[in-house]
Amino acid sequence: MKIERLELTEVPLRLKFPFRTSFGSVQDRRVLILSMYSGGEVGLAECVAGESPGYSYETTDTAWHVISDFIAPAVVGKEFASAEELLHELRYIRGHNIAVAAVEMAFWDLQARSLGVPLYQLLGGSDRPIPVGISLGIQESVEETVALAADSVEQGYGRVKLKIKPGWDYEPVKAVREAFPDISLTVDANSAYTLIQAPHLKRLDEFGLTYIEQPLAHDDILDHATLQAQIDTPICLDESINSPEDARKALTIGAGKVINLKVGRVRGFRASQAIHDIARSFGAPVWCGGMLECGVGRAANLHLSSLPNFTLPGDTSSGSRYWDQDLINEPLEAVDGVQAIPQHGPGIGVSLNRDYVERVASREAVWGAGR
Ligand code: OSB
Ligand code: MG
């Protein structure tokens, strides 16, 4: 497939509520949408970089820079037979996985649309209901946290994840566990602790959590292995896994037992498939993480989540949870804790609301020939 044209569009999008984690709070998002054209088809992807370098060093602006100044000039006008070939062209770009992934994901969607098949088929998944969980940000009070967890349980979400940080961990988790003794409950620290706090983290063992997500440093696996040996709660790695090699090494040394797979963080679908397979060979389940995506990214995540080793509910909650006005035309709603894989057409199976996107876009860059 020859990449004839690429469009990168930035769209301001306000979350219904501020989302607070151990690394900061966000409400005003700047979502990047990539459109890739070939042979009359257009592939879509969302670039999941955040607005500030809190979760990853990548931001909306670094992704804009790397895509504009390095990736687009290297791929537009060129022919690629596969995602591997595309990735090979970009192999000299160290890091910046979120930027590279956006282009790789648009290529997969373009391929699937050109073949007239749903993306999950190309990825090796199957048409099955996708169990979904919900990620609850840090709240002002324990009462609010319990109330939000109650809403989530009522809506049928199959897992409730609480964001934690030092000073906001044992109490809210205890309160939610007491209110809901039987739900699958997890916590996500986004790297807010160090090994010195291992005895404190061990206290969470009493709540029978499905896992504790990324308690220690974003670039660590060694201390996670030490911690895992001291606590009963399985560790789920998020920030620490940026490649299939990271996954192999982490699982080899016992740094965790579960992986939160985010396509952007690991450089795209090809790497996601590899990490999925490596985790499976270790008997470690994976689940699909979220980056406060709009419908474009969520649709892609749902297709990926259909691969067989995605055995835990993902952070692919309803689009309406975050957005009054999503950027896609079709709703993406969880019903009784399950999302259907969107198949309103081939590829990721949703369509971009181009009228709206063009009306509110804050900037756009274009490479290659006319549409
Ligand atoms: O650590 O999983 C995370 C959001 C932004 C950055 C990092 C994370 C998150 C979430 C939200 O937990 C998941 C979602 O999109 O619903
Ligand atoms: Mg996480």
Side-chain angles (χ1 to χ4, degrees), residues 19 21 23 26 48 55-56 133-136 161 163 188-190 213-214 238-239 260 262 265 287 289-293 298 301 315-317 321-322:
F19 190 82
T21 64
F23 60 81
V26 61
V48 301
Y55 169 80
S56 159
I134 192 166
S135 174
L136 302 178
K161 155 168 142 185
K163 292 286 186 179
D188 186 358
N190 288 110
E213 191 174 333
Q214 196 70 35
D238 176 346
E239 284 91 327
N260 168 342
K262 294 183 183 170
R265 195 191 68 225
W287 56 277
M291 290 287 281
L292 308 174
E293 290 96 342
R298 308 179 92 72
N301 286 343
D315 276 341
T316 42
S317 51
R321 176 179 175 231
Y322 289 127

Side-chain angles (χ1 to χ4, degrees), residues 164 169 185-190 193 200-202 204-205 209-216 224 227-228 231-238 255-258 287:
I164 59 167
D169 44 30
L185 184 63
T186 73
V187 294
D188 186 358
N190 288 110
Y193 298 85
H200 180 68
L201 293 171
K202 185 159 180 61
L204 297 174
D205 276 349
L209 302 176
T210 306
Y211 50 80
I212 174 171
E213 191 174 333
Q214 196 70 35
L216 309 179
H224 278 96
L227 177 65
Q228 183 65 91
I231 65 177
D232 299 329
T233 307
I235 291 175
C236 170
L237 294 170
D238 176 346
K257 297 177 176 170
V258 180
W287 56 277

